[in-house]
Amino acid sequence: MTIVAENGARFTLQDRDGNGRVDSVELSSKALLLEAPGKQGGNRFRVITPQAIAAVRGTKWAVDAAEGKTSVFVVNGRVAVGRRTGSHTVTLGRGEGVDLEAAGPLTIKRWPAARVAALMARLGQ
C-alpha cells in the first residue's frame, strides 16, 4: 500500500483487525492519493471521511475531504464509495469520480481533465 498526502492533510492510519498492518485511513481534511494491490476476501483497505467510506478493489485513487464535502476519483482500478451512514454504494471505474455532500444522490461523473490535473498537482503528481 502506498499513500501520498497533500501538504497539510490531516489523517490517521488505522489497523482495524489488529494484525499489525494499516488497513484503513481516517481522513479529516485535504487529499490523499492511494495505491493498493488487489486483495481477495478479508478486510479491504478503506478511507473514511466525515461524509464517506471509500473501499479499494485494487486500484489507484484519490480522496479529497473538504468542509462539508468528500470527493473520490479513480485513476485506475475500481473503488466502492458510500456514505458513512446508509448502505447505498456506487462503484467507480477508471477516470470516474463522485462528490458526496451531507445529502443528495451519489452521481458518478467522468471528471474533466482540468479537475483531475488540479487534484493530482496538489498531490505532487
Side-chain angles (χ1 to χ4, degrees), residues 30-112:
K30 300 224 176 184
L32 297 176
L33 179 67
L34 305 105
E35 189 165 6
K39 181 179 172 186
Q40 298 299 318
N43 286 334
R44 291 193 164 113
F45 194 92
R46 64 185 189 175
V47 178
I48 303 161
T49 73
Q51 295 80 24
I53 297 175
V56 70
R57 301 290 186 255
T59 192
K60 183 175 183 178
W61 82 109
V63 180
D64 186 10
E67 193 165 325
K69 180 171 104 173
T70 296
S71 300
V72 179
F73 175 75
V74 175
V75 177
N76 59 49
R78 298 176 69 72
V79 173
V81 181
R83 297 190 189 287
R84 284 186 72 152
T85 57
S87 59
H88 178 70
T89 64
V90 295
T91 300
L92 305 175
R94 180 185 188 116
E96 294 178 332
V98 67
D99 296 307
L100 290 91
E101 298 186 65
L106 301 179
T107 304
I108 298 172
K109 294 181 181 174
R110 183 152 300 280
W111 282 17

Side-chain angles (χ1 to χ4, degrees), residues 6-59:
E6 177 182 8
N7 261 357
R10 290 183 30 223
F11 62 97
T12 305
L13 302 176
Q14 300 174 336
D15 175 9
R16 291 177 297 158
D17 59 10
N19 69 357
R21 289 192 304 258
V22 172
D23 56 18
S24 181
V25 174
E26 183 94 24
L27 174 64
S28 57
S29 69
K30 300 224 176 184
L32 297 176
L33 179 67
L34 305 105
E35 189 165 6
K39 181 179 172 186
Q40 298 299 318
N43 286 334
R44 291 193 164 113
F45 194 92
R46 64 185 189 175
V47 178
I48 303 161
T49 73
Q51 295 80 24
I53 297 175
V56 70
R57 301 290 186 255
T59 192

